[in-house]
mmCIF file of all heavy atoms in Angstrom:
data_model
loop_
_atom_site.group_PDB
_atom_site.id
_atom_site.type_symbol
_atom_site.label_atom_id
_atom_site.label_comp_id
_atom_site.label_asym_id
_atom_site.label_seq_id
_atom_site.Cartn_x
_atom_site.Cartn_y
_atom_site.Cartn_z
ATOM 1 N N ALA A 25 99.101 60.126 102.320
ATOM 2 C CA ALA A 25 100.383 59.963 101.636
ATOM 3 C C ALA A 25 100.221 59.107 100.380
ATOM 4 O O ALA A 25 100.814 59.374 99.327
ATOM 5 C CB ALA A 25 101.401 59.337 102.569
ATOM 6 N N GLY A 26 99.407 58.066 100.449
ATOM 7 C CA GLY A 26 99.138 57.225 99.282
ATOM 8 C C GLY A 26 98.447 57.988 98.169
ATOM 9 O O GLY A 26 98.760 57.825 96.992
ATOM 10 N N ALA A 27 97.502 58.846 98.524
ATOM 11 C CA ALA A 27 96.783 59.637 97.524
ATOM 12 C C ALA A 27 97.741 60.602 96.824
ATOM 13 O O ALA A 27 97.677 60.775 95.599
ATOM 14 C CB ALA A 27 95.630 60.401 98.182
ATOM 15 N N VAL A 28 98.648 61.213 97.572
ATOM 16 C CA VAL A 28 99.619 62.120 96.981
ATOM 17 C C VAL A 28 100.531 61.345 96.032
ATOM 18 O O VAL A 28 100.822 61.784 94.919
ATOM 19 C CB VAL A 28 100.437 62.837 98.086
ATOM 20 C CG1 VAL A 28 101.632 63.563 97.480
ATOM 21 C CG2 VAL A 28 99.541 63.812 98.841
ATOM 22 N N GLY A 29 100.974 60.167 96.434
ATOM 23 C CA GLY A 29 101.844 59.338 95.572
ATOM 24 C C GLY A 29 101.125 58.905 94.296
ATOM 25 O O GLY A 29 101.699 58.930 93.222
ATOM 26 N N LEU A 30 99.872 58.527 94.402
ATOM 27 C CA LEU A 30 99.086 58.129 93.245
ATOM 28 C C LEU A 30 98.929 59.298 92.281
ATOM 29 O O LEU A 30 99.087 59.137 91.075
ATOM 30 C CB LEU A 30 97.725 57.595 93.678
ATOM 31 C CG LEU A 30 96.767 57.186 92.530
ATOM 32 C CD1 LEU A 30 97.385 56.059 91.720
ATOM 33 C CD2 LEU A 30 95.423 56.787 93.098
ATOM 34 N N GLY A 31 98.657 60.476 92.815
ATOM 35 C CA GLY A 31 98.503 61.657 91.973
ATOM 36 C C GLY A 31 99.793 61.953 91.218
ATOM 37 O O GLY A 31 99.776 62.257 90.024
ATOM 38 N N ALA A 32 100.943 61.835 91.881
ATOM 39 C CA ALA A 32 102.223 62.093 91.228
ATOM 40 C C ALA A 32 102.472 61.045 90.120
ATOM 41 O O ALA A 32 102.961 61.379 89.042
ATOM 42 C CB ALA A 32 103.350 62.045 92.253
ATOM 43 N N ALA A 33 102.111 59.795 90.386
ATOM 44 C CA ALA A 33 102.312 58.746 89.368
ATOM 45 C C ALA A 33 101.436 59.006 88.150
ATOM 46 O O ALA A 33 101.896 58.834 87.013
ATOM 47 C CB ALA A 33 101.987 57.389 89.970
ATOM 48 N N LEU A 34 100.195 59.417 88.331
ATOM 49 C CA LEU A 34 99.318 59.698 87.206
ATOM 50 C C LEU A 34 99.814 60.869 86.380
ATOM 51 O O LEU A 34 99.744 60.839 85.156
ATOM 52 C CB LEU A 34 97.893 59.955 87.697
ATOM 53 C CG LEU A 34 97.171 58.741 88.263
ATOM 54 C CD1 LEU A 34 95.818 59.149 88.821
ATOM 55 C CD2 LEU A 34 97.013 57.661 87.220
ATOM 56 N N VAL A 35 100.322 61.898 87.006
ATOM 57 C CA VAL A 35 100.855 63.038 86.285
ATOM 58 C C VAL A 35 102.083 62.618 85.475
ATOM 59 O O VAL A 35 102.256 63.013 84.326
ATOM 60 C CB VAL A 35 101.198 64.192 87.249
ATOM 61 C CG1 VAL A 35 102.007 65.271 86.568
ATOM 62 C CG2 VAL A 35 99.927 64.775 87.825
ATOM 63 N N ALA A 36 102.923 61.777 86.025
ATOM 64 C CA ALA A 36 104.148 61.347 85.354
ATOM 65 C C ALA A 36 103.847 60.458 84.158
ATOM 66 O O ALA A 36 104.664 60.379 83.235
ATOM 67 C CB ALA A 36 105.048 60.598 86.335
ATOM 68 N N CYS A 37 102.712 59.803 84.124
ATOM 69 C CA CYS A 37 102.370 58.906 83.028
ATOM 70 C C CYS A 37 102.147 59.640 81.724
ATOM 71 O O CYS A 37 102.311 59.091 80.662
ATOM 72 C CB CYS A 37 101.156 58.061 83.366
ATOM 73 S SG CYS A 37 101.521 56.785 84.570
ATOM 74 N N GLY A 38 101.740 60.898 81.767
ATOM 75 C CA GLY A 38 101.550 61.646 80.539
ATOM 76 C C GLY A 38 100.267 61.286 79.821
ATOM 77 O O GLY A 38 99.355 60.725 80.378
ATOM 78 N N SER A 39 100.257 61.563 78.513
ATOM 79 C CA SER A 39 99.062 61.409 77.694
ATOM 80 C C SER A 39 99.322 60.516 76.511
ATOM 81 O O SER A 39 100.404 60.503 75.953
ATOM 82 C CB SER A 39 98.637 62.800 77.200
ATOM 83 O OG SER A 39 97.637 62.684 76.234
ATOM 84 N N ASP A 40 98.317 59.745 76.103
ATOM 85 C CA ASP A 40 98.385 58.960 74.858
ATOM 86 C C ASP A 40 97.743 59.711 73.713
ATOM 87 O O ASP A 40 97.493 59.156 72.662
ATOM 88 C CB ASP A 40 97.652 57.622 75.041
ATOM 89 C CG ASP A 40 98.606 56.498 75.439
ATOM 90 O OD1 ASP A 40 99.820 56.736 75.448
ATOM 91 O OD2 ASP A 40 98.119 55.394 75.716
ATOM 92 N N ASP A 41 97.445 60.989 73.912
ATOM 93 C CA ASP A 41 96.795 61.785 72.889
ATOM 94 C C ASP A 41 97.743 62.012 71.727
ATOM 95 O O ASP A 41 98.776 62.633 71.884
ATOM 96 C CB ASP A 41 96.356 63.125 73.495
ATOM 97 C CG ASP A 41 95.542 63.957 72.517
ATOM 98 O OD1 ASP A 41 95.351 63.526 71.376
ATOM 99 O OD2 ASP A 41 95.073 65.032 72.952
ATOM 100 N N PRO A 42 97.431 61.506 70.499
ATOM 101 C CA PRO A 42 98.332 61.666 69.370
ATOM 102 C C PRO A 42 98.513 63.142 68.982
ATOM 103 O O PRO A 42 99.498 63.478 68.354
ATOM 104 C CB PRO A 42 97.667 60.885 68.251
ATOM 105 C CG PRO A 42 96.245 60.749 68.637
ATOM 106 C CD PRO A 42 96.233 60.770 70.147
ATOM 107 N N ALA A 43 97.579 63.989 69.374
ATOM 108 C CA ALA A 43 97.749 65.408 69.062
ATOM 109 C C ALA A 43 98.992 65.941 69.765
ATOM 110 O O ALA A 43 99.662 66.827 69.258
ATOM 111 C CB ALA A 43 96.522 66.202 69.485
ATOM 112 N N ASP A 44 99.287 65.401 70.968
ATOM 113 C CA ASP A 44 100.497 65.813 71.660
ATOM 114 C C ASP A 44 101.738 65.459 70.851
ATOM 115 O O ASP A 44 102.656 66.244 70.719
ATOM 116 C CB ASP A 44 100.599 65.142 73.033
ATOM 117 C CG ASP A 44 99.528 65.609 74.005
ATOM 118 O OD1 ASP A 44 98.882 66.652 73.728
ATOM 119 O OD2 ASP A 44 99.318 64.920 75.021
ATOM 120 N N SER A 45 101.762 64.249 70.300
ATOM 121 C CA SER A 45 102.913 63.789 69.515
ATOM 122 C C SER A 45 103.004 64.558 68.202
ATOM 123 O O SER A 45 104.070 64.952 67.774
ATOM 124 C CB SER A 45 102.819 62.296 69.221
ATOM 125 O OG SER A 45 102.812 61.572 70.424
ATOM 126 N N ALA A 46 101.867 64.711 67.536
ATOM 127 C CA ALA A 46 101.870 65.364 66.227
ATOM 128 C C ALA A 46 102.301 66.816 66.354
ATOM 129 O O ALA A 46 102.940 67.352 65.449
ATOM 130 C CB ALA A 46 100.499 65.270 65.595
ATOM 131 N N ALA A 47 101.973 67.469 67.473
ATOM 132 C CA ALA A 47 102.334 68.854 67.640
ATOM 133 C C ALA A 47 103.847 69.030 67.732
ATOM 134 O O ALA A 47 104.368 70.072 67.426
ATOM 135 C CB ALA A 47 101.672 69.428 68.897
ATOM 136 N N LYS A 48 104.558 67.987 68.118
ATOM 137 C CA LYS A 48 106.019 68.036 68.221
ATOM 138 C C LYS A 48 106.691 67.818 66.878
ATOM 139 O O LYS A 48 107.889 67.942 66.775
ATOM 140 C CB LYS A 48 106.505 66.978 69.209
ATOM 141 C CG LYS A 48 105.989 67.154 70.599
ATOM 142 C CD LYS A 48 106.401 65.998 71.474
ATOM 143 C CE LYS A 48 105.705 66.041 72.803
ATOM 144 N NZ LYS A 48 105.899 64.838 73.573
ATOM 145 N N THR A 49 105.927 67.441 65.848
ATOM 146 C CA THR A 49 106.477 67.120 64.566
ATOM 147 C C THR A 49 106.140 68.210 63.572
ATOM 148 O O THR A 49 104.999 68.329 63.140
ATOM 149 C CB THR A 49 105.894 65.772 64.070
ATOM 150 O OG1 THR A 49 106.088 64.812 65.092
ATOM 151 C CG2 THR A 49 106.560 65.321 62.800
ATOM 152 N N PRO A 50 107.136 69.034 63.156
ATOM 153 C CA PRO A 50 106.833 70.153 62.289
ATOM 154 C C PRO A 50 106.238 69.765 60.949
ATOM 155 O O PRO A 50 105.483 70.496 60.368
ATOM 156 C CB PRO A 50 108.196 70.848 62.093
ATOM 157 C CG PRO A 50 109.202 70.036 62.794
ATOM 158 C CD PRO A 50 108.526 68.948 63.535
ATOM 159 N N ALA A 51 106.557 68.585 60.422
ATOM 160 C CA ALA A 51 106.055 68.207 59.101
ATOM 161 C C ALA A 51 104.712 67.503 59.162
ATOM 162 O O ALA A 51 104.205 67.037 58.182
ATOM 163 C CB ALA A 51 107.075 67.314 58.392
ATOM 164 N N ALA A 52 104.137 67.375 60.355
ATOM 165 C CA ALA A 52 102.880 66.642 60.506
ATOM 166 C C ALA A 52 101.717 67.529 60.116
ATOM 167 O O ALA A 52 101.207 68.274 60.911
ATOM 168 C CB ALA A 52 102.708 66.151 61.939
ATOM 169 N N GLY A 53 101.284 67.432 58.854
ATOM 170 C CA GLY A 53 100.139 68.212 58.399
ATOM 171 C C GLY A 53 98.856 67.541 58.854
ATOM 172 O O GLY A 53 98.826 66.347 59.074
ATOM 173 N N GLY A 54 97.811 68.306 58.946
ATOM 174 C CA GLY A 54 96.571 67.730 59.395
ATOM 175 C C GLY A 54 95.502 67.736 58.342
ATOM 176 O O GLY A 54 94.351 67.621 58.639
ATOM 177 N N GLY A 55 95.888 67.888 57.065
ATOM 178 C CA GLY A 55 94.899 68.016 56.000
ATOM 179 C C GLY A 55 94.311 66.667 55.626
ATOM 180 O O GLY A 55 94.648 65.638 56.151
ATOM 181 N N THR A 56 93.390 66.737 54.696
ATOM 182 C CA THR A 56 92.755 65.535 54.216
ATOM 183 C C THR A 56 93.180 65.291 52.774
ATOM 184 O O THR A 56 93.591 66.196 52.062
ATOM 185 C CB THR A 56 91.215 65.650 54.279
ATOM 186 O OG1 THR A 56 90.832 66.781 53.495
ATOM 187 C CG2 THR A 56 90.749 65.824 55.698
ATOM 188 N N ASP A 57 93.036 64.064 52.323
ATOM 189 C CA ASP A 57 93.445 63.688 50.988
ATOM 190 C C ASP A 57 92.325 63.959 50.022
ATOM 191 O O ASP A 57 91.251 63.386 50.127
ATOM 192 C CB ASP A 57 93.828 62.207 50.982
ATOM 193 C CG ASP A 57 94.335 61.753 49.641
ATOM 194 O OD1 ASP A 57 94.499 62.614 48.738
ATOM 195 O OD2 ASP A 57 94.584 60.546 49.476
ATOM 196 N N ASP A 58 92.574 64.841 49.046
ATOM 197 C CA ASP A 58 91.566 65.072 48.044
ATOM 198 C C ASP A 58 91.874 64.307 46.767
ATOM 199 O O ASP A 58 91.133 64.379 45.798
ATOM 200 C CB ASP A 58 91.419 66.575 47.745
ATOM 201 C CG ASP A 58 92.674 67.192 47.157
ATOM 202 O OD1 ASP A 58 93.650 66.469 46.918
ATOM 203 O OD2 ASP A 58 92.672 68.411 46.923
ATOM 204 N N GLY A 59 93.008 63.598 46.720
ATOM 205 C CA GLY A 59 93.356 62.755 45.603
ATOM 206 C C GLY A 59 93.865 63.507 44.388
ATOM 207 O O GLY A 59 94.292 62.908 43.413
ATOM 208 N N ALA A 60 93.815 64.808 44.376
ATOM 209 C CA ALA A 60 94.267 65.572 43.219
ATOM 210 C C ALA A 60 95.766 65.727 43.208
ATOM 211 O O ALA A 60 96.366 66.129 44.174
ATOM 212 C CB ALA A 60 93.586 66.940 43.220
ATOM 213 N N ASN A 61 96.385 65.429 42.092
ATOM 214 C CA ASN A 61 97.817 65.537 41.815
ATOM 215 C C ASN A 61 98.728 65.187 42.980
ATOM 216 O O ASN A 61 99.768 65.804 43.160
ATOM 217 C CB ASN A 61 98.138 66.930 41.234
ATOM 218 C CG ASN A 61 97.967 68.069 42.234
ATOM 219 O OD1 ASN A 61 97.972 67.863 43.428
ATOM 220 N ND2 ASN A 61 97.792 69.272 41.711
ATOM 221 N N GLY A 62 98.364 64.168 43.755
ATOM 222 C CA GLY A 62 99.238 63.674 44.805
ATOM 223 C C GLY A 62 99.188 64.472 46.084
ATOM 224 O O GLY A 62 99.850 64.129 47.041
ATOM 225 N N ASP A 63 98.457 65.581 46.113
ATOM 226 C CA ASP A 63 98.369 66.342 47.344
ATOM 227 C C ASP A 63 97.595 65.559 48.393
ATOM 228 O O ASP A 63 96.652 64.856 48.068
ATOM 229 C CB ASP A 63 97.643 67.679 47.137
ATOM 230 C CG ASP A 63 98.496 68.686 46.414
ATOM 231 O OD1 ASP A 63 99.705 68.421 46.270
ATOM 232 O OD2 ASP A 63 97.951 69.728 45.979
ATOM 233 N N SER A 64 97.999 65.682 49.642
ATOM 234 C CA SER A 64 97.264 64.972 50.685
ATOM 235 C C SER A 64 96.966 65.867 51.869
ATOM 236 O O SER A 64 97.003 65.458 52.993
ATOM 237 C CB SER A 64 98.036 63.723 51.108
ATOM 238 O OG SER A 64 99.348 64.033 51.464
ATOM 239 N N GLY A 65 96.718 67.148 51.620
ATOM 240 C CA GLY A 65 96.322 68.038 52.718
ATOM 241 C C GLY A 65 97.209 69.240 52.813
ATOM 242 O O GLY A 65 97.980 69.548 51.920
ATOM 243 N N SER A 66 97.120 69.932 53.941
ATOM 244 C CA SER A 66 97.913 71.137 54.106
ATOM 245 C C SER A 66 99.122 70.839 54.974
ATOM 246 O O SER A 66 99.017 70.254 56.021
ATOM 247 C CB SER A 66 97.059 72.223 54.786
ATOM 248 O OG SER A 66 96.606 71.752 56.021
ATOM 249 N N GLY A 67 100.288 71.246 54.514
ATOM 250 C CA GLY A 67 101.523 70.989 55.238
ATOM 251 C C GLY A 67 101.952 72.182 56.024
ATOM 252 O O GLY A 67 101.427 73.272 55.903
ATOM 253 N N GLU A 68 102.963 71.985 56.826
ATOM 254 C CA GLU A 68 103.547 73.067 57.611
ATOM 255 C C GLU A 68 105.050 72.964 57.505
ATOM 256 O O GLU A 68 105.604 71.893 57.435
ATOM 257 C CB GLU A 68 103.162 72.907 59.095
ATOM 258 C CG GLU A 68 101.678 72.820 59.345
ATOM 259 C CD GLU A 68 101.401 72.397 60.765
ATOM 260 O OE1 GLU A 68 102.300 71.949 61.481
ATOM 261 O OE2 GLU A 68 100.253 72.499 61.185
ATOM 262 N N GLY A 69 105.751 74.083 57.497
ATOM 263 C CA GLY A 69 107.204 74.113 57.539
ATOM 264 C C GLY A 69 107.848 73.303 56.447
ATOM 265 O O GLY A 69 107.341 72.313 55.988
ATOM 266 N N GLY A 70 109.043 73.696 55.986
ATOM 267 C CA GLY A 70 109.807 72.967 54.996
ATOM 268 C C GLY A 70 109.115 72.935 53.641
ATOM 269 O O GLY A 70 109.376 72.072 52.835
ATOM 270 N N GLN A 71 108.225 73.875 53.379
ATOM 271 C CA GLN A 71 107.449 73.867 52.158
ATOM 272 C C GLN A 71 108.342 73.987 50.940
ATOM 273 O O GLN A 71 109.285 74.761 50.899
ATOM 274 C CB GLN A 71 106.428 74.998 52.179
ATOM 275 C CG GLN A 71 105.394 74.787 53.265
ATOM 276 C CD GLN A 71 104.389 75.909 53.329
ATOM 277 O OE1 GLN A 71 104.621 76.994 52.829
ATOM 278 N NE2 GLN A 71 103.264 75.648 53.954
#
Side-chain angles (χ1 to χ4, degrees):
V28 169
L30 178 62
L34 291 175
V35 169
C37 287
S39 170
D40 265 353
D41 186 357
D44 293 344
S45 299
K48 298 174 190 170
T49 308
T56 58
D57 183 5
D58 63 3
N61 68 22
D63 285 349
S64 53
S66 59
E68 304 169 347
Q71 294 179 341

